[in-house]
Amino acid sequence: MLLAAPLTDPDIRMPMFSAAEYDHRLASVREKMDRQGLSALIVTDPANIFYLTGYDAWSFYTPQMLYVPARGEMLMFLRDMDAQGAFRTSWLPEEQILGYPEQYVHQPHIHPFDWVATALRRRGLVAPAAKGCVGLEMDSHFFAPKAYRALVNAIPEWTLVDSFELVNWVRVVKSDAEIQYMRTAARVTTASMHAAIEAVEPGTAQNRVASRIAAAQAEGDGEIWGDFPAIVPMLPTGRSADTPHLTWSDRVLREGDAMVVELAGVHRRYHVPLARTVMLGAPPSDLLLLEEAVAVGLQAVLDVTAAGVPVREMSRVWNLTLARYGLEKPSRLGYSIGIGYPPDWGERTVSIRPDEESMLSENMTLHLICGMWMTGYGYEVSESIRVTGTGVETFTSFPRQLVRK
Amino acid sequence: MLLAAPLTDPDIRMPMFSAAEYDHRLASVREKMDRQGLSALIVTDPANIFYLTGYDAWSFYTPQMLYVPARGEMLMFLRDMDAQGAFRTSWLPEEQILGYPEQYVHQPHIHPFDWVATALRRRGLVAPAAKGCVGLEMDSHFFAPKAYRALVNAIPEWTLVDSFELVNWVRVVKSDAEIQYMRTAARVTTASMHAAIEAVEPGTAQNRVASRIAAAQAEGDGEIWGDFPAIVPMLPTGRSADTPHLTWSDRVLREGDAMVVELAGVHRRYHVPLARTVMLGAPPSDLLLLEEAVAVGLQAVLDVTAAGVPVREMSRVWNLTLARYGLEKPSRLGYSIGIGYPPDWGERTVSIRPDEESMLSENMTLHLICGMWMTGYGYEVSESIRVTGTGVETFTSFPRQLVRK
C-alpha cells in the first residue's frame, strides 16, 4: 500500500522522530523487560503504542495491542479498518501491522484477542515467549478484563504478569526532540489560555468559554497547529470550584464568581497543561489567602526542584508552606506529563506526594497543579515544567496569581 | 453539604429526568439482574453510571464504581476529590456517595477497589451478595484488569461473572424524555455540520476545520448549549479517506480533495452523530458511484426499518443494494447511540450486521454509518435515527449526497 501511493501523498505523515530515537526507545523498553524477566510485553495504552511506533488514530475504543518480544520484530494488531490506514502515521513496516476481522468487534462470545492469540501462535511466537513471563499493562484504560481473560484462556503456556507501567516509566525522561515538541505545544497552551481569559466575562455562559478554548486549542498559534487534548477544558466555577472534574453547562458567569480554567495546549500528542483562576470583581479574603499561599508555595517548590532531588522533597516543601498559612492539600501536587490520549494527560508514573520514591532527573516534565478545593470555593494555579540539571524551565509564562477582570 | 449550600446555588444541576424515570431504570436493571442470577452488579462504565445516577464529570480516568445490590441502596465510589462534588450532578443522597482516599491513586501495590472492598465488607454487603453471582462489566473501557484482580483477591466469597453489557442493553430503548434530549442534541449537530461545511475550502488546513467544528459543538444552537463529544471530529481527507479514525493535522485542503466530516452534536451527554463528505471541485467517477450506491442503499434501509423488524434485515437490504453496484462494506452498517463518554458514542449493544440477533423496537436510536473505505479514497454519509412503530424519524435533515463546493 505504501508503494502504491504517490511519492507526494500529503496524507502520509513524516515520522516525528529519527529512526535512531525509535530504536533507542525500543532498546530502553527491552532493557527494562530483561530486568523484569519478561520474554514479551503486550502494550495496549495508546500513548505507549504511539511512543514506540508513531501510530496515532482515534481507534483505541476497540481493542488493539502492540506485541513486543524480547527479540524479533514488533507486531501491531488493530481492527481491520484501522490497520488499513496505520501506515499513514506509523513507521512500522506494513507486514508488522495486522488487522483482525470486523466480526470480532463488540461480541459477547468472542474477543479480538482470541484472533490475535491464534495469529501469534501461527507465527510461532507463543513458545519462545513461554520461556519467561509475559508482561501486561494491567492498569491501562483500554485493556479490559475481557481482553485479559481472552489471553489467559487462549495462551495457557504464558505466565502473565503486570508490567507495572514499564513503557510509561521509559517515557518519563524526555529526549531533546520531545522537549522541543512540548515547547511548541506550550505556544498552543498560551494562545488557548489567552482565549479563555478573554472570554470570561459576566453574562457569558460556561459553554461559550469552552467553545472559545476548544477553537483556540485546534487552531493553534500561527504555523503551529493544535492537536486534540486528552481532557476537555475544566471550568470549575463559583461554588462548584470546590471540586475539579465537573464539566461545563450553560451556567452564566456573574460578578463575584471565580472561574478556574484548566486546559492543555497540544501539538502532535504532546501536552502542556496550565491552570489559572479568573476573578470577576473583588476577590473575597478566602481567595486572597489562597492566592498568596499558592504563589509562595509554588515558588518554594520551583526553588528546590532540580535533577538529583527526591520528588517527595517537592511535596514536603509545598506542604510546609501551606501549613504556615493554616492550609493543607490532601491530593498530590502534580504528576508526569508528555504524550496524552483521552481520558488523561498524566503518564501514571511520577506523583508528587509524600510517599513518592522516585528522584528527579534532567528532562523529566511535570505538571505542578496547585489545586485547592475547599468547601464552596476553590483556586487553581499550575505550571508545566522541565527539570534541568540545576533547576527548572517553565513551559509558559503567565503570572502566578488570580487573574482579575 | 447539600443542606449547607444556598437554595439558589447555580452550581447544582437539576436532575435531567423524573424520580419515576430513574426508579424505572433501576427496576429494569434489577429485572435483568434477576434473570441473569445476579445478587449484585458492579457498574464501571461512566455512561451507565450517568444513566442510573445522573453523575456527570470527567473523573472516569481514576477507578470508580456504582454498586447495585439486588435489594437495598446503590452506593457510588469515587476518588475523594470527585465524591466531594458528586451531589452537584447526581440525585444520589450524600450518604450513598463514598470517596476513596487519595493515596490509592496510581500506586503499584494497592488499588482503590481494595478500599472499596473493605468498605463493602464493613457495611455487611459482602455476605448477602455471595448468595448469587456478582456481575461485572468485563468489557468496559474504564475497568482495568488490575481493578478486576483487586476484587477477585479482596472478596473471595463472590462468584464474579460477566454481566454482558446488562445496563447498556437496558439503555437501548429510549424514554420519551431521552428522545427529547436527542432531538435537542440534533440542533447542535446541525449547527456543527453547517460550520464544518462552511469551513471546508481550498487552502484551509484540517485543524482549522476542526477548530470551527469544536467551537460550534460547545456553542450549541441559540439557547441550546453544546456538551463535549465522546469522539473528536473525524476528518478523513484525500487519500487518507480510505480509513476512518485518523485525526487531523495541518494538512491543507486542495482543489480535487474530498473530505469526510464525521461529528456529533451533544446535549447533556446525549449524542446525535452525523457524517457527510465534502468535495472540492469536480468529483471523480469512483466517488459518484459511491454517492449513488450509498444514497440508494441508505434509502432502502430506511424503507425497511420499523419496530418488529430484525436488525439483520437492515444489513441484508444494505448489502444487497451495494452488491448491485459491485460494492461491499465489510464493517457493520451502524450501532445503537444515546449517552456517550470518550472514547466512544456507541452503546456497545446493537450492531447492524448479518449475524445480529436483536429486533428493532420503538424508540431504539441508531447511527447508520455508511462508511465506504476504499483504497486511496473514501466516502461517508450517515443518519442518526429513531425507530418508530411504523418506520423511522431522522434526527437531522441534510441531503444524503456529496456536498459540492
Side-chain angles (χ1 to χ4, degrees):
Chain A
M1 210 178 279
L2 194 54
L3 288 172
L7 285 175
T8 56
D9 187 341
D11 297 308
I12 295 179
R13 292 200 202 165
M14 294 298 293
M16 289 173 63
F17 301 96
S18 66
E21 179 154 347
Y22 283 114
D23 285 348
H24 179 71
R25 291 175 179 188
L26 180 56
S28 302
V29 164
R30 283 180 163 158
E31 196 188 305
K32 268 192 193 291
M33 285 170 60
D34 188 49
R35 266 184 292 156
Q36 293 180 212
L38 303 183
S39 49
L41 176 67
I42 286 172
V43 180
T44 46
D45 181 330
N48 290 340
I49 293 177
F50 174 77
Y51 182 74
L52 289 171
T53 72
Y55 177 63
D56 181 21
W58 193 288
S59 58
F60 44 90
Y61 68 92
T62 51
Q64 49 188 36
M65 75 147 80
L66 180 70
Y67 181 71
V68 185
R71 272 168 298 281
E73 303 295 359
M74 297 192 286
L75 286 178
M76 185 157 66
F77 295 92
L78 306 170
R79 186 180 179 183
D80 242 351
M81 63 169 72
D82 298 314
Q84 186 176 352
F87 73 94
R88 297 189 180 280
T89 54
S90 171
W91 58 263
L92 278 185
E94 205 181 338
E95 61 272 18
Q96 289 170 236
I97 304 171
L98 298 167
Y100 59 78
E102 179 67 18
Q103 61 262 34
Y104 284 80
V105 174
H106 295 169
Q107 296 278 17
H109 58 300
I110 51 173
H111 189 275
F113 286 2
D114 297 333
W115 189 94
V116 170
T118 301
L120 289 170
R121 193 176 289 283
R122 286 198 178 139
R123 281 163 188 260
L125 296 171
V126 165
K131 286 174 186 134
C133 294
V134 174
L136 300 176
E137 296 179 325
M138 293 292 279
D139 206 16
S140 166
H141 285 121
F142 305 109
F143 180 45
K146 188 161 190 157
Y148 165 65
R149 292 289 296 266
L151 292 175
V152 168
N153 294 336
I155 316 186
E157 297 96 317
W158 281 359
T159 303
L160 297 166
V161 298
D162 196 344
S163 73
F164 293 103
E165 285 71 45
L166 189 156
V167 181
N168 306 57
W169 279 105
V170 171
R171 283 162 50 202
V172 162
V173 173
K174 271 65 185 172
S175 69
D176 291 342
E178 288 184 288
I179 294 294
Q180 208 45 57
Y181 279 113
M182 293 185 72
R183 289 185 185 129
T184 304
R187 289 180 51 184
V188 183
T189 309
T190 298
S192 303
M193 184 57 81
H194 279 305
I197 292 171
E198 196 181 327
V200 177
E201 290 286 358
T204 299
Q206 276 182 325
N207 67 299
R208 177 155 294 170
V209 178
S211 169
R212 298 287 195 273
I213 295 170
Q217 284 174 314
E219 178 69 33
D221 179 27
E223 79 279 18
I224 306 300
W225 61 277
D227 205 346
F228 64 87
I231 308 179
V232 293
M234 293 284 119
L235 304 170
T237 303
R239 294 188 60 83
S240 76
D242 62 4
T243 193
H245 299 128
L246 298 176
T247 54
W248 67 77
S249 71
D250 60 351
R251 198 279 208 196
V252 173
L253 302 178
R254 301 173 306 188
E255 193 76 15
D257 276 338
M259 180 190 237
V260 172
V261 176
E262 184 176 353
L263 55 77
V266 190
H267 184 65
R268 301 194 76 167
R269 304 316 315 137
Y270 282 85
H271 283 62
V272 170
L274 186 68
R276 286 294 181 272
T277 304
V278 186
M279 181 70 221
L280 296 175
S285 58
D286 284 348
L287 213 52
L288 291 172
L289 177 73
L290 289 180
E291 181 187 31
E292 186 184 325
V294 163
V296 173
L298 181 48
Q299 188 58 56
V301 171
L302 294 174
D303 288 346
V304 300
T305 302
V309 173
V311 171
R312 63 173 170 271
E313 176 66 6
M314 301 168 80
S315 173
R316 195 188 65 81
V317 165
W318 167 253
N319 289 330
L320 210 64
T321 312
L322 283 197
R324 277 198 217 111
Y325 286 87
L327 296 167
E328 60 174 348
K329 173 177 162 64
S331 53
R332 60 187 174 174
L333 174 63
Y335 46 80
S336 181
I337 51 169
I339 300 162
Y341 281 89
D344 193 8
W345 57 48
E347 291 186 316
R348 297 189 288 115
T349 49
V350 174
S351 287
I352 305 174
R353 51 188 168 191
D355 61 349
E356 175 70 23
E357 292 178 10
S358 58
M359 303 282 281
L360 292 173
S361 303
E362 188 161 2
N363 278 2
M364 275 188 179
T365 50
L366 303 165
H367 184 215
L368 308 185
I369 169 78
C370 309
M372 303 297 297
W373 300 292
M374 317 305 281
T375 299
Y377 69 106
Y379 182 71
E380 287 183 42
V381 158
S382 82
E383 290 289 352
S384 284
I385 64 163
R386 174 176 81 91
V387 178
T388 71
T390 56
V392 295
E393 168 188 347
T394 56
F395 283 111
T396 58
S397 59
F398 282 83
R400 289 179 209 125
Q401 59 191 42
L402 199 54
V403 180
R404 289 159 171 83
K405 284 198 75 169
Chain B
M1 209 178 279
L2 195 53
L3 288 173
L7 285 173
T8 56
D9 188 341
D11 297 308
I12 294 179
R13 291 200 203 165
M14 295 298 293
M16 290 173 62
F17 302 96
S18 66
E21 178 153 349
Y22 283 115
D23 285 349
H24 179 72
R25 291 173 180 190
L26 180 56
S28 303
V29 165
R30 283 180 163 155
E31 195 188 307
K32 268 191 192 289
M33 285 169 60
D34 188 51
R35 265 184 292 156
Q36 293 181 211
L38 303 183
S39 50
L41 177 66
I42 286 172
V43 180
T44 47
D45 181 330
N48 290 340
I49 293 176
F50 174 76
Y51 182 73
L52 289 172
T53 72
Y55 177 63
D56 181 21
W58 194 287
S59 58
F60 44 88
Y61 68 91
T62 52
Q64 49 189 38
M65 74 147 81
L66 180 70
Y67 181 72
V68 185
R71 271 168 299 282
E73 304 294 359
M74 296 193 286
L75 286 178
M76 185 158 65
F77 294 92
L78 307 169
R79 187 180 180 182
D80 242 351
M81 63 169 74
D82 299 314
Q84 185 175 353
F87 74 95
R88 297 188 179 279
T89 54
S90 172
W91 58 264
L92 277 185
E94 205 182 337
E95 62 272 17
Q96 289 170 235
I97 304 170
L98 298 167
Y100 59 78
E102 179 67 19
Q103 62 261 33
Y104 285 81
V105 174
H106 294 168
Q107 296 279 18
H109 59 300
I110 51 173
H111 188 276
F113 286 2
D114 296 333
W115 190 92
V116 169
T118 301
L120 289 170
R121 193 176 289 283
R122 287 201 178 138
R123 283 164 185 260
L125 295 170
V126 165
K131 287 173 187 138
C133 294
V134 175
L136 300 176
E137 296 180 324
M138 293 293 279
D139 206 17
S140 165
H141 285 122
F142 304 110
F143 180 45
K146 189 161 189 157
Y148 166 65
R149 291 290 296 267
L151 292 175
V152 168
N153 293 335
I155 316 185
E157 297 95 320
W158 281 358
T159 303
L160 298 166
V161 299
D162 196 343
S163 72
F164 292 104
E165 286 70 46
L166 189 155
V167 182
N168 306 58
W169 279 105
V170 171
R171 284 163 48 202
V172 161
V173 173
K174 271 63 185 174
S175 71
D176 291 342
E178 287 184 287
I179 295 294
Q180 209 44 57
Y181 279 114
M182 292 185 73
R183 289 185 186 130
T184 305
R187 289 180 51 186
V188 183
T189 309
T190 298
S192 302
M193 186 56 83
H194 279 305
I197 292 171
E198 196 181 326
V200 177
E201 290 287 356
T204 299
Q206 277 182 324
N207 66 300
R208 176 155 295 172
V209 178
S211 169
R212 298 285 196 273
I213 295 170
Q217 284 173 314
E219 179 69 32
D221 179 26
E223 79 280 20
I224 306 300
W225 62 276
D227 205 346
F228 64 88
I231 308 180
V232 292
M234 293 283 121
L235 304 170
T237 304
R239 294 187 60 82
S240 76
D242 62 5
T243 193
H245 298 129
L246 298 177
T247 54
W248 68 76
S249 70
D250 59 350
R251 198 277 206 198
V252 174
L253 301 177
R254 299 173 308 187
E255 192 77 16
D257 277 337
M259 181 191 236
V260 172
V261 176
E262 184 177 353
L263 55 77
V266 190
H267 185 64
R268 301 194 78 166
R269 305 316 315 136
Y270 282 85
H271 284 62
V272 170
L274 186 68
R276 285 296 182 273
T277 305
V278 186
M279 181 72 220
L280 296 175
S285 57
D286 285 347
L287 213 51
L288 291 172
L289 177 75
L290 289 180
E291 181 188 30
E292 185 183 324
V294 163
V296 174
L298 181 48
Q299 188 57 55
V301 172
L302 294 174
D303 288 345
V304 299
T305 302
V309 172
V311 172
R312 63 172 169 270
E313 176 66 6
M314 301 169 80
S315 173
R316 195 187 65 81
V317 166
W318 167 252
N319 289 330
L320 210 63
T321 314
L322 283 198
R324 276 197 219 113
Y325 286 87
L327 296 166
E328 60 174 348
K329 172 177 161 64
S331 52
R332 60 187 175 173
L333 175 63
Y335 46 80
S336 181
I337 50 169
I339 301 162
Y341 280 89
D344 195 7
W345 57 50
E347 291 186 316
R348 296 189 288 115
T349 48
V350 175
S351 287
I352 306 175
R353 51 188 169 191
D355 61 351
E356 176 70 23
E357 292 178 11
S358 59
M359 303 281 283
L360 292 173
S361 303
E362 188 161 3
N363 279 2
M364 277 189 180
T365 50
L366 303 166
H367 184 215
L368 308 184
I369 168 78
C370 309
M372 304 297 297
W373 301 292
M374 316 306 280
T375 299
Y377 69 106
Y379 182 70
E380 287 183 41
V381 158
S382 82
E383 290 290 355
S384 285
I385 64 163
R386 174 177 80 91
V387 178
T388 72
T390 55
V392 295
E393 167 189 347
T394 56
F395 283 110
T396 58
S397 58
F398 281 82
R400 289 182 208 122
Q401 59 191 41
L402 198 56
V403 181
R404 289 158 170 85
K405 286 198 74 167

